[in-house]
Amino acid sequence: MGWTYCVIWFLCLRWLLLESQPVMHGEVHSPQYPLPYLPNLLKQWDLWVPEGHQIQLSLTHLDIKASSGCYQDSLTVLYDQKVVGKFCGQENSSHHPGKVPILSQGNRLTLIFQTSDSSAELQQHIGFSATYEAIDVDECSKSDPGPGSLPLCSQICINTPGSYHCSCHYGYKLHLDQRTCLFSCGGNIFEQHAGHLSSPRHPRPSPPFLSCKYIISVDPRFIITLNFTDNFHIDSVDTQQGPSCQHHWLQVTIPDREPMKLCGGKSPGLIATNSSSVILDYHTDDEGLSHGWSLDYSTNVTITYLHKYVINVWLSCLIEVTSIIYTFFLSLANINISLFCSSAVNDCGEPEPLMNGGVTFLSGFQNQYRSVVQYHCNEPFYSFPGGVNVSLTCKGEGKWTSNTNNVTPTCIPVCGQPTTLISTYQRIIGGSEAPDNTIPWQVLLTIDGIRVGGMVIADRWIMTAAHDLTHNRKPVSNETVRIYMGRTDVKSLMGCPVLVGSIHIHPEYNNPNGLDFNNDIALIKLQDTITFNSSIMPICLPAEGATYITGMMGLVSGFGIMEIYPPRITKKLKYVQLPVVEQDTCRESVKKLKKTRNNLPSLTDNMFCAGVPEGGKDTCLGDSGGPFALRDDGQFWVAGIVSWGVDCGQQGRYRVYTKVTNYLDWINKTMQEN
Ligand SMILES: *[C@@H]1O[C@H](CO)[C@@H](O)[C@H](O)[C@H]1NC(C)=O
Ligand SMILES: *[C@@H]1O[C@H](CO)[C@@H](O)[C@H](O)[C@H]1NC(C)=O
Ligand SMILES: *[C@@H]1O[C@H](CO)[C@@H](O)[C@H](O)[C@H]1NC(C)=O
Ligand SMILES: *[C@@H]1O[C@H](CO)[C@@H](O)[C@H](O)[C@H]1NC(C)=O
Ligand SMILES: *[C@@H]1O[C@H](CO)[C@@H](O)[C@H](O)[C@H]1NC(C)=O
Ligand SMILES: *[C@@H]1O[C@H](CO)[C@@H](O)[C@H](O)[C@H]1NC(C)=O
Ligand SMILES: *[C@@H]1O[C@H](CO)[C@@H](O)[C@H](O)[C@H]1NC(C)=O
Ligand SMILES: *[C@@H]1O[C@H](CO)[C@@H](O)[C@H](O)[C@H]1NC(C)=O
Ligand SMILES: *[C@@H]1O[C@H](CO)[C@@H](O)[C@H](O)[C@H]1NC(C)=O
């Protein structure tokens, strides 16, 4: 049976995954210590502590036969293939490092213990014992980085265990190089209808290495006019074609127009932008000197909008009655129109943020009376239940009102629609490697180190087989379960496990002797919610009353064994396509087998079979607990969970899957109550 090979397969796996890791401390001693050591030994230890640490090695005991220059028996300490020390003798001899521990320069150190055959005569020296520990390197205190080179951090250096990071004084922020501090400037969005902007420290010289961005963005019915003051000075380089903005410049970007680079000593004065948004980028480097610039901007309403605007203002005046007097001055063709009314434009405040979605302003003053915003979900991974976007309008009483009744909608995950489809479904028996993002619901579970499969069915739920999650009739503890997802190659997949919140075995699963696989289904609730993207997406649950038609091709996937003899474990996610088998055919096949074998599980109506009658080498593929997916209307849904089987790929024998449609109520109830 499939699982009987798990033992072999799992041992191989443990071995494959075994890789040495740096440690924080440890102990080494000569072979047989504290018994006398043997002649003709050559033994090496490679000590390794985490990056950003040094190794402090302390010899707790040394008793090596003394010889001149330790040429006979010795303990040699090497760093980077260079000898740090060669020791022999006893505590007080001249070849002993003394009480001072040895400090490595880097995070590795090699120890070699060598004995000669001249110690063949009975000797009582017992060798050495030593302890070592990782010592944090204080990168910040490494004083002089050498002439001409830059300090580690341009302002503040903070040492942390194993590393360091740079920080900046108030008013500065860390540059992308993570060491230089830049003057923090700009970054503001100016939304008022008039305002004042100036370069940092204006009119004193601008700091070097500035990259300041200022955005003026007003109601689209208004246009912006910039009025630079006379006090304008941006360093320029004189060339034959005139002054050129090489080191310092102020770039003015107006939508749909070529950006303008300004520099020199003459103020540009008025710039009529004919636009409701302008972006200013002020750049300086460490050459040249600029005293900077300052400007006032104002806005006036465009003719086309005036008519509509007046009506809107009047409407809001009529509807809203508050004690504040609000005045609008509209200047057009030298006529001032003043509107007074006993009304305030109400502020609805920021619309609630939407998980896995966002808000877009469609029209109006931001968050104010009559402005309209639209919620949208992060497609194609999330959508609104009805599939339409939700718009909110800021109505009276300062409240957002929705076009549907749902004021804060929720984005629900899209299931069963991978962003990439496997292009050729080969009708082959034998696994193919699954391309990235084609089976995004597949998860790899390890239970006490044993690999099994599972699938994502909701943003906090994994489904798998019950037999994987029980041990001695009890659910395994949640600490022994590791869940990995989002990659198709095992090596990068095993990076960071998702944490288990709770385990839910089907209450009627009862399989004390490994002979009763009825109700082989279990759910795992995760501690945290997963955010879906192209590499992690849920598979759909079956629709109520979904049918399993004989011959329908299902997609089985997993990281499990590829071959039984000899056991080989896949390094990549594999898939195979297998047809649903008639229940009677499968029942016959199990019945036939039972005649020749004792101890076979029974086929129940909570199970179905898939496979090809002729058998095949790799029909074993797919770890238990993994998905058997069918596709309808462009959506994959989980029809089965890999449960059990008799041998692998043998003629007339099929794999048996848990029939998921029979458990919709239980799944629904479990997910709702937990
Ligand atoms: C080493 O020298 C100290 C004094 O210098 C002495 O007390 C100690 O016993 C000596 N140890 C050995 C192993 O000879
Ligand atoms: C521009 O600003 C100056 C003061 O710096 C002011 O005298 C002038 O009237 C302004 N121009 C316009 C058109 O607002
Ligand atoms: C201002 O922009 C509008 C359209 O955005 C255009 O119709 C109009 O001609 C522009 N006016 C000037 C002075 O460029
Ligand atoms: C907007 O105001 C500027 C000066 O403040 C003026 O030059 C421009 O003609 C005005 N434009 C409109 C459309 O009123
Ligand atoms: C328009 O109103 C402004 C601000 O009240 C005032 O300074 C300006 O003189 C007025 N212009 C006319 C033409 O009345
Ligand atoms: C919903 O809004 C987003 C972004 O505003 C847009 O890309 C998408 O087409 C809209 N969907 C529908 C159904 O209107
Ligand atoms: C772990 O398992 C126990 C028992 O099933 C459960 O009560 C607990 O909430 C689980 N979760 C965590 C995070 O320990
Ligand atoms: C999807 O999200 C996971 C976890 O947040 C992340 O590791 C993975 O790189 C993401 N994949 C893509 C394609 O963005
Ligand atoms: C699951 O429960 C929800 C809420 O009670 C219900 O609307 C839905 O139809 C149920 N689904 C199934 C498959 O039972």
Side-chain angles (χ1 to χ4, degrees), residues 513-668:
N513 308 314
L515 291 175
D516 185 355
F517 283 82
N518 206 13
N519 309 308
D520 191 9
I521 182 169
L523 295 173
I524 301 175
K525 186 177 187 188
L526 305 177
Q527 275 186 20
D528 303 303
T529 309
I530 317 167
T531 301
F532 295 126
N533 58 29
S534 54
S535 55
I536 309 176
M537 282 179 93
I539 187 167
C540 304
L541 288 173
E544 213 139 348
T547 47
Y548 295 57
I549 300 162
T550 304
M552 268 172 115
M553 292 300 267
L555 178 67
V556 192
S557 49
F559 293 95
I561 26 177
M562 285 155 64
E563 276 168 29
I564 299 267
Y565 309 110
R568 264 210 309 141
I569 298 170
T570 171
K571 294 193 181 100
K572 294 271 202 167
L573 177 62
K574 299 269 184 159
Y575 72 90
V576 68
Q577 264 224 308
L578 296 171
V580 173
V581 170
E582 183 73 47
Q583 193 77 348
D584 284 343
T585 312
C586 189
R587 193 170 285 122
E588 278 308 309
S589 121
V590 175
K591 212 191 262 171
K592 217 163 110 195
L593 270 169
K594 277 197 169 182
K595 285 188 190 141
T596 55
R597 289 210 202 174
N598 304 320
N599 300 336
L600 276 189
S602 300
L603 190 74
T604 72
D605 286 339
N606 291 320
M607 304 169 186
F608 71 95
C609 299
V612 281
E614 64 270 26
K617 202 161 126 227
D618 283 346
T619 40
C620 241
L621 176 81
D623 349 53
S624 60
F628 179 93
L630 289 173
R631 190 159 178 239
D632 268 348
D633 282 341
Q635 263 189 344
F636 284 95
W637 57 278
V638 49
I641 304 169
V642 182
S643 179
W644 60 280
V646 182
D647 297 336
C648 258
Q650 300 283 309
Q651 204 180 345
R653 296 173 196 175
Y654 305 98
R655 296 239 97 195
V656 184
Y657 300 81
T658 306
K659 192 169 186 179
V660 179
T661 26
N662 291 8
Y663 296 97
L664 282 180
D665 287 341
W666 177 73
I667 295 171
N668 212 356

Side-chain angles (χ1 to χ4, degrees), residues 225 227-230 270 296 298:
T225 304
N227 183 6
F228 281 90
T229 61
D230 292 338
L270 275 185
D296 294 295
S298 59

Side-chain angles (χ1 to χ4, degrees), residues 112-341:
I112 296 175
F113 181 59
Q114 194 164 15
T115 65
S116 64
D117 60 359
S118 65
S119 43
E121 74 267 21
L122 260 183
Q123 55 91 6
Q124 290 302 314
H125 298 290
I126 62 173
F128 75 96
S129 79
T131 61
Y132 66 96
E133 61 182 315
I135 304 283
D136 179 38
V137 177
D138 184 359
E139 290 87 354
C140 295
S141 74
K142 275 186 188 162
S143 46
D144 190 13
S149 60
L150 296 163
L152 221 46
C153 295
S154 76
Q155 289 184 353
I156 302 167
C157 180
I158 298 165
N159 184 43
T160 58
S163 182
Y164 72 95
H165 62 87
C166 299
S167 168
C168 298
H169 295 303
Y170 179 74
Y172 290 79
K173 62 175 190 248
L174 204 56
H175 183 52
L176 284 178
D177 70 4
Q178 298 301 330
R179 57 164 295 277
T180 314
C181 293
L182 301 178
F183 198 85
S184 121
C185 57
N188 287 332
I189 300 181
F190 295 82
E191 291 171 334
Q192 279 80 30
H193 283 239
H196 177 83
L197 280 71
S198 62
S199 59
R201 298 182 176 168
H202 179 82
R204 289 185 293 132
S206 304
F209 298 116
L210 287 182
S211 176
C212 312
K213 192 188 269 305
Y214 307 84
I215 299 169
I216 307 174
S217 176
V218 296
D219 186 285
R221 286 167 296 197
F222 289 79
I223 55 172
I224 300 165
T225 304
L226 305 177
N227 183 6
F228 281 90
T229 61
D230 292 338
N231 212 338
F232 183 93
H233 173 255
I234 297 178
D235 186 84
S236 62
V237 176
D238 284 325
T239 65
Q240 277 173 348
Q241 288 81 35
S244 130
C245 310
Q246 260 177 28
H247 298 293
H248 299 194
W249 62 79
L250 175 66
Q251 178 168 295
V252 179
T253 311
I254 299 163
D256 305 325
R257 280 205 243 164
E258 213 35 45
M260 289 181 267
K261 261 190 185 177
L262 306 176
C263 61
K266 189 172 176 301
S267 167
L270 275 185
I271 298 179
T273 67
N274 193 26
S275 158
S276 62
S277 67
V278 181
I279 299 172
L280 300 161
D281 288 290
Y282 185 45
H283 174 94
T284 67
D285 64 14
D286 59 345
E287 281 186 48
L289 178 87
S290 296
H291 288 272
W293 48 271
S294 83
L295 64 83
D296 294 295
Y297 75 89
S298 59
T299 49
N300 45 18
V301 76
T302 56
I303 301 167
T304 35
Y305 278 120
L306 183 70
H307 183 64
K308 228 161 115 193
Y309 182 72
V310 170
I311 290 170
N312 273 347
V313 170
W314 275 116
L315 277 179
S316 73
C317 288
L318 292 174
I319 297 162
E320 314 298 332
V321 182
T322 73
S323 58
I324 307 161
I325 308 276
Y326 217 82
T327 315
F328 291 88
F329 295 99
L330 308 172
S331 68
L332 176 76
N334 290 332
I335 305 162
N336 278 351
I337 306 166
S338 303
L339 300 174
F340 299 88
C341 75

